[in-house]
Coordinates of all heavy atoms in Angstrom, one line a residue:
T286 N -1.5 6.7 -29.3 CA -0.4 6.9 -28.4 C -0.7 6.9 -26.9 O -2.0 7.0 -26.6 CB 0.1 8.4 -28.4 OG1 -0.9 9.3 -28.0 CG2 0.6 8.8 -29.8
V287 N 0.3 6.7 -26.2 CA 0.0 6.6 -24.7 C -0.7 7.8 -24.1 O -1.6 7.5 -23.2 CB 1.5 6.3 -24.0 CG1 2.4 7.6 -24.1 CG2 1.4 5.8 -22.6
V288 N -0.5 8.9 -24.5 CA -1.1 10.2 -23.9 C -2.5 10.4 -24.3 O -3.4 10.7 -23.6 CB -0.3 11.5 -24.1 CG1 0.0 11.7 -25.5 CG2 -1.1 12.6 -23.5
H289 N -2.9 10.0 -25.6 CA -4.3 10.3 -26.1 C -5.2 9.0 -26.0 O -6.3 9.1 -26.1 CB -4.2 11.0 -27.4 CG -3.5 12.2 -27.4 ND1 -2.5 12.6 -28.4 CD2 -3.6 13.2 -26.4 CE1 -2.1 13.7 -28.1 NE2 -2.6 14.2 -27.0
A290 N -4.6 8.0 -25.7 CA -5.3 6.6 -25.8 C -5.2 6.0 -24.4 O -5.0 4.8 -24.2 CB -4.9 5.7 -26.8
G291 N -5.5 6.7 -23.3 CA -5.7 6.2 -22.0 C -4.4 5.5 -21.3 O -4.6 4.7 -20.3
G292 N -3.2 5.9 -21.7 CA -2.1 5.5 -20.9 C -1.6 4.1 -21.4 O -2.0 3.6 -22.3
I293 N -0.6 3.6 -20.6 CA 0.1 2.4 -20.9 C -0.9 1.2 -20.7 O -1.1 0.2 -21.6 CB 1.3 2.2 -20.0 CG1 2.4 3.1 -20.5 CG2 1.7 0.7 -20.0 CD1 3.6 3.2 -19.5
T294 N -1.8 1.4 -19.8 CA -2.8 0.2 -19.4 C -3.7 0.0 -20.6 O -3.9 -1.1 -21.0 CB -3.6 0.7 -18.2 OG1 -2.7 0.8 -17.1 CG2 -4.7 -0.3 -17.9
H295 N -4.1 1.1 -21.3 CA -5.0 1.0 -22.3 C -4.3 0.7 -23.7 O -4.7 -0.1 -24.5 CB -6.0 2.2 -22.5 CG -7.1 1.9 -23.4 ND1 -8.2 1.0 -23.1 CD2 -7.6 2.5 -24.7 CE1 -9.0 0.9 -24.0 NE2 -8.8 1.9 -25.0
L296 N -3.2 1.3 -23.8 CA -2.4 1.2 -25.2 C -2.0 -0.4 -25.2 O -1.9 -0.9 -26.3 CB -1.2 2.1 -25.2 CG -0.5 2.2 -26.5 CD1 -1.4 2.7 -27.6 CD2 0.6 3.2 -26.5
R297 N -1.8 -0.9 -24.2 CA -1.3 -2.4 -24.1 C -2.5 -3.3 -24.6 O -2.3 -4.2 -25.3 CB -0.9 -2.7 -22.6 CG -0.3 -4.1 -22.5 CD 0.6 -4.1 -21.4 NE 0.0 -4.0 -20.1 CZ 0.6 -4.6 -19.0 NH1 1.9 -5.0 -19.1 NH2 -0.1 -4.5 -17.9
R298 N -3.8 -2.8 -24.2 CA -4.9 -3.6 -24.7 C -5.0 -3.5 -26.2 O -5.2 -4.4 -27.0 CB -6.2 -3.0 -24.2 CG -6.4 -3.5 -22.8 CD -7.9 -3.7 -22.4 NE -7.9 -4.4 -21.1 CZ -7.7 -3.8 -19.9 NH1 -7.7 -2.6 -19.9 NH2 -7.7 -4.6 -18.9
I299 N -4.8 -2.2 -26.6 CA -4.8 -2.0 -28.2 C -3.7 -2.8 -28.9 O -4.0 -3.5 -29.9 CB -4.7 -0.5 -28.5 CG1 -5.9 0.3 -27.9 CG2 -4.6 -0.3 -30.0 CD1 -5.8 1.8 -28.1
A300 N -2.5 -2.8 -28.4 CA -1.5 -3.5 -29.0 C -1.6 -5.0 -29.0 O -1.3 -5.8 -29.9 CB -0.1 -3.1 -28.3
N301 N -2.2 -5.5 -27.9 CA -2.5 -6.9 -27.8 C -3.5 -7.3 -28.8 O -3.4 -8.4 -29.4 CB -3.0 -7.3 -26.4 CG -1.8 -7.3 -25.4 OD1 -0.7 -7.3 -25.7 ND2 -2.2 -7.2 -24.1
L302 N -4.5 -6.6 -29.0 CA -5.6 -6.9 -30.0 C -5.0 -6.8 -31.4 O -5.1 -7.8 -32.2 CB -6.7 -5.9 -30.0 CG -7.8 -6.1 -31.0 CD1 -8.6 -7.4 -30.8 CD2 -8.7 -4.9 -31.1
A303 N -4.1 -5.8 -31.6 CA -3.5 -5.6 -32.9 C -2.5 -6.8 -33.2 O -2.5 -7.3 -34.4 CB -2.6 -4.3 -32.9
D304 N -1.9 -7.4 -32.2 CA -1.0 -8.5 -32.3 C -1.6 -9.6 -33.0 O -1.1 -10.5 -33.7 CB -0.3 -8.8 -30.9 CG 1.0 -9.6 -31.1 OD1 1.6 -9.7 -32.3 OD2 1.4 -10.2 -30.2
L305 N -2.9 -9.9 -32.6 CA -3.6 -11.0 -33.0 C -3.8 -10.9 -34.6 O -4.1 -11.9 -35.2 CB -5.0 -11.1 -32.5 CG -5.1 -11.2 -31.0 CD1 -6.5 -11.4 -30.4 CD2 -4.3 -12.5 -30.5
Y306 N -3.9 -9.8 -35.1 CA -4.1 -9.5 -36.6 C -3.0 -8.9 -37.4 O -3.3 -8.3 -38.4 CB -5.4 -8.6 -36.6 CG -6.6 -9.1 -35.9 CD1 -7.0 -8.8 -34.7 CD2 -7.4 -10.0 -36.6 CE1 -8.0 -9.4 -34.0 CE2 -8.6 -10.6 -36.0 CZ -8.9 -10.3 -34.7 OH -9.9 -10.9 -34.1
N307 N -1.8 -9.2 -37.0 CA -0.6 -8.8 -37.7 C -0.5 -7.3 -37.9 O 0.1 -6.8 -38.8 CB -0.5 -9.4 -39.0 CG -0.6 -10.9 -38.9 OD1 -1.6 -11.5 -39.4 ND2 0.4 -11.5 -38.3
V308 N -1.2 -6.5 -37.0 CA -1.0 -5.1 -37.0 C 0.0 -4.6 -36.0 O 0.0 -5.2 -34.8 CB -2.3 -4.4 -36.8 CG1 -2.2 -2.9 -36.6 CG2 -3.4 -4.8 -37.7
R309 N 1.0 -3.9 -36.5 CA 2.1 -3.4 -35.5 C 1.9 -2.0 -35.1 O 1.0 -1.2 -35.6 CB 3.4 -3.5 -36.3 CG 3.8 -5.0 -36.4 CD 5.1 -5.2 -37.0 NE 5.2 -5.1 -38.4 CZ 6.3 -4.8 -39.2 NH1 7.4 -4.9 -38.6 NH2 6.0 -4.8 -40.5
T310 N 2.6 -1.6 -34.0 CA 2.4 -0.2 -33.5 C 3.4 0.8 -34.2 O 4.4 0.4 -34.8 CB 2.9 -0.1 -32.0 OG1 4.3 -0.5 -31.9 CG2 2.0 -1.1 -31.2
G311 N 2.9 2.0 -34.3 CA 3.7 3.0 -34.9 C 3.2 4.3 -34.2 O 2.7 5.3 -34.8
C312 N 3.7 4.4 -32.9 CA 3.0 5.4 -32.1 C 3.4 6.8 -32.5 O 4.6 7.2 -32.9 CB 3.4 5.2 -30.6 SG 2.7 3.7 -29.9
H313 N 2.4 7.8 -32.4 CA 2.5 9.2 -32.7 C 3.6 9.8 -31.7 O 3.7 9.3 -30.6 CB 1.2 9.9 -32.3 CG 1.1 11.2 -32.7 ND1 0.1 12.1 -32.0 CD2 1.6 12.0 -33.5 CE1 0.2 13.3 -32.4 NE2 1.1 13.3 -33.4
G314 N 4.5 10.6 -32.2 CA 5.5 11.1 -31.4 C 6.0 12.5 -31.9 O 7.1 12.8 -32.0
A315 N 4.9 13.4 -32.1 CA 5.2 14.8 -32.5 C 5.6 15.6 -31.3 O 5.6 15.1 -30.1 CB 4.0 15.3 -33.2
T316 N 6.0 16.9 -31.6 CA 6.5 17.7 -30.4 C 5.4 17.9 -29.5 O 5.9 18.3 -28.2 CB 6.9 19.0 -31.0 OG1 6.0 19.5 -32.0 CG2 8.3 18.9 -31.6
D317 N 4.2 17.8 -29.7 CA 3.1 18.0 -28.6 C 3.0 16.8 -27.7 O 2.3 16.9 -26.7 CB 1.8 18.4 -29.3 CG 1.3 17.4 -30.3 OD1 2.1 17.3 -31.3 OD2 0.2 16.9 -30.3
L318 N 3.7 15.8 -27.9 CA 3.8 14.7 -26.9 C 5.2 15.0 -26.1 O 6.3 15.0 -26.7 CB 3.9 13.3 -27.6 CG 2.5 12.9 -28.2 CD1 2.3 13.5 -29.5 CD2 2.4 11.5 -28.3
S319 N 4.9 15.3 -24.9 CA 6.0 15.7 -24.1 C 7.1 14.6 -23.9 O 6.8 13.4 -24.1 CB 5.6 16.3 -22.6 OG 5.5 15.2 -21.7
P320 N 8.3 15.0 -23.4 CA 9.3 14.0 -23.1 C 8.8 12.9 -22.2 O 9.3 11.8 -22.2 CB 10.5 14.8 -22.5 CG 10.3 16.2 -23.1 CD 8.8 16.3 -23.2
V321 N 7.8 13.2 -21.4 CA 7.2 12.1 -20.5 C 6.5 11.0 -21.4 O 6.7 9.8 -21.1 CB 6.1 12.7 -19.5 CG1 5.5 11.6 -18.6 CG2 6.8 13.8 -18.6
S322 N 5.8 11.6 -22.3 CA 5.1 10.5 -23.3 C 6.1 9.8 -24.1 O 6.0 8.6 -24.4 CB 4.2 11.3 -24.2 OG 2.9 11.5 -23.8
M323 N 7.2 10.5 -24.5 CA 8.2 9.9 -25.3 C 8.9 8.8 -24.5 O 9.0 7.7 -25.1 CB 9.4 11.0 -25.6 CG 10.3 10.6 -26.7 SD 9.4 10.4 -28.4 CE 10.3 9.3 -29.1
A324 N 9.2 9.0 -23.3 CA 9.8 8.0 -22.4 C 8.8 6.8 -22.3 O 9.2 5.6 -22.4 CB 10.2 8.5 -21.0
A325 N 7.6 7.1 -22.0 CA 6.6 5.9 -21.8 C 6.5 5.2 -23.2 O 6.5 4.0 -23.1 CB 5.3 6.6 -21.5
A326 N 6.5 5.9 -24.2 CA 6.4 5.2 -25.6 C 7.6 4.3 -25.8 O 7.5 3.2 -26.4 CB 6.4 6.2 -26.6
L327 N 8.8 4.8 -25.4 CA 10.0 3.9 -25.6 C 10.0 2.7 -24.7 O 10.4 1.6 -25.1 CB 11.2 4.9 -25.3 CG 11.5 6.1 -26.4 CD1 12.6 6.9 -25.9 CD2 11.6 5.4 -27.8
H328 N 9.6 2.9 -23.4 CA 9.6 1.7 -22.6 C 8.5 0.7 -23.1 O 8.7 -0.5 -23.2 CB 9.1 2.1 -21.1 CG 10.1 2.8 -20.3 ND1 11.2 2.1 -19.7 CD2 10.4 4.1 -20.0 CE1 12.0 2.9 -19.1 NE2 11.5 4.2 -19.2
F329 N 7.4 1.2 -23.6 CA 6.4 0.4 -24.2 C 6.8 -0.3 -25.5 O 6.7 -1.6 -25.5 CB 5.2 1.2 -24.4 CG 3.9 0.5 -24.9 CD1 3.2 -0.3 -24.1 CD2 3.5 0.6 -26.2 CE1 2.1 -1.0 -24.5 CE2 2.4 -0.2 -26.6 CZ 1.7 -0.9 -25.7
G330 N 7.4 0.5 -26.4 CA 7.9 -0.1 -27.6 C 9.0 -1.1 -27.4 O 8.9 -2.1 -28.2
L331 N 9.8 -0.9 -26.4 CA 10.9 -1.9 -26.2 C 10.3 -3.2 -25.7 O 10.9 -4.3 -26.1 CB 11.7 -1.2 -25.1 CG 13.2 -1.9 -25.0 CD1 14.0 -1.6 -26.3 CD2 14.0 -1.2 -23.9

Side-chain angles (χ1 to χ4, degrees):
T286 64
V287 66
V288 53
H289 301 131
I293 287 166
T294 298
H295 195 62
L296 193 59
R297 190 147 75 157
R298 281 209 167 85
I299 296 176
N301 284 344
L302 177 69
D304 198 16
L305 299 181
Y306 297 96
N307 307 112
V308 175
R309 289 185 280 165
T310 62
C312 297
H313 189 200
T316 41
D317 49 303
L318 286 84
S319 89
V321 179
S322 271
M323 194 65 208
L327 295 175
H328 285 281
F329 185 72
L331 199 65

